């Protein structure tokens, strides 16, 4: 499924129900195809297919946020109509002084664009995955210390080998899912009250806790929508750490019995994880 919603500033390509790819004028026009290909890799893993379908506005994502303001490209006929997850191209930032900041793979929130192309910064927002376009062979993009994006995947010191783009996109979509499901709201404003597990140095406990969910480490082992469940179903070794937020050294990871999700081995509930981390889920 591809629906192209063209505007004067560019276009939104709806590549799956509820999932849009924004391409502004002058950006890489192959980016929607790159994202669509990564989503097909995600859908090739059972838990990945379920996650992609979760963003469909007439499926599990029926209660997910959409951009509703017509002036922000939402509402019937808008460029973002029915989109619950957006992809954008990430580029290097070049300040007038100091070193340039490399492009990032990250999930943030966006509010759409007006018809003249200006961005909207008022709610309602939807989650947005930002990643660089696919590099040419032999020309990797540096993402930070020890992290590189190649033509065929991403190198990260936290896991062995090179991760294909499906795995990378699935990880970011987990961030988007928990945002849409309300996890961020339950954690917001309370993170400073809590300390991390012994032996973990944490500057931002909310990011630390979210990566516990998204990676499937410590209290997050056994969640359905986490990177390590995806790795398990794809036959890959588990991810042992997310060093950037101080998440590492899970002593029970190797011996953990991953659930199948069936009635005799259900997946863990994400709200239970937040309760174990002392966040209120009221």
């Amino acid at each position: 499924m591809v629906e192209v919603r063209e505007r004067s500033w560019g276009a939104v390509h709806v590549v799956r129900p509820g999932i849009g790819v924004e391409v502004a004028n002058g950006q890489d026009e192959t980016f929607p195809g790159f994202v669509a290909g990564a989503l097909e890799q995600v859908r090739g893993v059972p838990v990945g297919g379920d996650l992609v379908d979760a963003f469909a506005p007439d499926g599990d994502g029926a209660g997910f946020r959409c951009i509703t303001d017509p002036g922000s490209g939402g509402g019937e006929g808008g460029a973002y109509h029915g989109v619950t997850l957006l992809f954008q191209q990430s580029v290097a930032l070049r300040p007038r002084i100091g070193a340039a900041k490399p492009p990032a793979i990250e999930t943030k929130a966006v509010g759409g664009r007006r018809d003249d192309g200006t961005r909207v910064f008022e709610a309602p927002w939807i989650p947005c995955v930002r990643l660089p376009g696919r590099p040419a062979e032999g020309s990797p993009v540096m993402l930070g210390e020890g992290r590189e994006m190649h033509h065929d995947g991403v190198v990260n010191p936290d896991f062995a080998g090179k991760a294909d783009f499906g795995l990378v996109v699935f990880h970011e979509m987990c961030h988007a899912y928990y945002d849409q499901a309300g996890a961020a709201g339950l954690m917001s404003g309370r993170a400073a009250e809590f300390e991390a597990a012994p032996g973990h140095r944490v500057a931002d406990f909310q990011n630390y806790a979210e990566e516990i969910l998204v990676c499937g480490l410590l209290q997050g082992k056994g969640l359905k929508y986490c990177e390590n469940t995806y790795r398990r179903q794809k036959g890959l070794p588990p991810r042992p750490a997310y060093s950037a937020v101080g998440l590492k050294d899970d002593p029970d990871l190797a011996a953990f019995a991953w659930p199948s999700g069936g009635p005799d081995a259900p997946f863990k509930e994400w709200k239970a994880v937040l309760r174990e981390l002392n966040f209120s889920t009221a």
Side-chain angles (χ1 to χ4, degrees), residues 47-111:
V47 70
D50 289 348
L51 183 57
V52 171
D53 291 344
F55 289 93
D58 57 351
D60 290 346
F64 284 0
R65 297 187 308 277
C66 295
I67 295 171
T68 53
D69 177 13
S72 305
E76 191 70 36
Y80 303 93
H81 176 60
V83 173
T84 61
L85 171 62
L86 189 68
F87 283 81
Q88 289 178 345
Q89 296 177 54
S90 175
V91 297
L93 298 178
R94 302 188 180 280
R96 284 177 289 184
I97 58 175
K101 182 179 179 181
I105 297 177
E106 60 185 358
T107 300
K108 299 292 186 181
V110 296

Side-chain angles (χ1 to χ4, degrees), residues 19 38-55 166 170 173-174 224-226 229-231 233:
I19 301 178
L39 290 173
E40 286 305 299
Q41 289 181 322
V42 173
R43 293 178 68 237
V45 178
V47 70
D50 289 348
L51 183 57
V52 171
D53 291 344
F55 289 93
F170 178 85
M173 289 179 69
C174 286
K224 180 177 183 179
Y225 294 135
C226 73
T229 291
Y230 182 95
R231 284 174 170 270
Q233 293 188 357

Side-chain angles (χ1 to χ4, degrees), residues 42-192:
V42 173
R43 293 178 68 237
V45 178
V47 70
D50 289 348
L51 183 57
V52 171
D53 291 344
F55 289 93
D58 57 351
D60 290 346
F64 284 0
R65 297 187 308 277
C66 295
I67 295 171
T68 53
D69 177 13
S72 305
E76 191 70 36
Y80 303 93
H81 176 60
V83 173
T84 61
L85 171 62
L86 189 68
F87 283 81
Q88 289 178 345
Q89 296 177 54
S90 175
V91 297
L93 298 178
R94 302 188 180 280
R96 284 177 289 184
I97 58 175
K101 182 179 179 181
I105 297 177
E106 60 185 358
T107 300
K108 299 292 186 181
V110 296
R113 290 179 186 264
R114 300 181 181 86
D115 286 343
D116 63 4
T118 55
R119 294 190 185 279
V120 177
F121 299 100
E122 295 84 21
W125 300 298
I126 58 174
C128 174
V129 175
R130 294 173 179 160
L131 68 162
R134 187 176 191 178
E137 289 193 55
S139 300
V141 173
M142 301 298 110
L143 303 172
E145 185 176 355
R147 293 178 290 121
E148 301 175 353
M149 183 170 173
H150 294 255
H151 180 74
D152 57 349
V154 173
V155 172
N156 186 309
D158 282 340
F159 42 81
K162 187 183 295 180
D164 66 29
F165 294 121
L167 177 58
V168 173
V169 166
F170 178 85
H171 178 105
E172 295 304 323
M173 289 179 69
C174 286
H175 281 292
Y177 175 85
Y178 289 119
D179 178 19
Q180 283 282 24
L186 292 174
M187 293 189 291
S188 179
R190 305 196 66 227

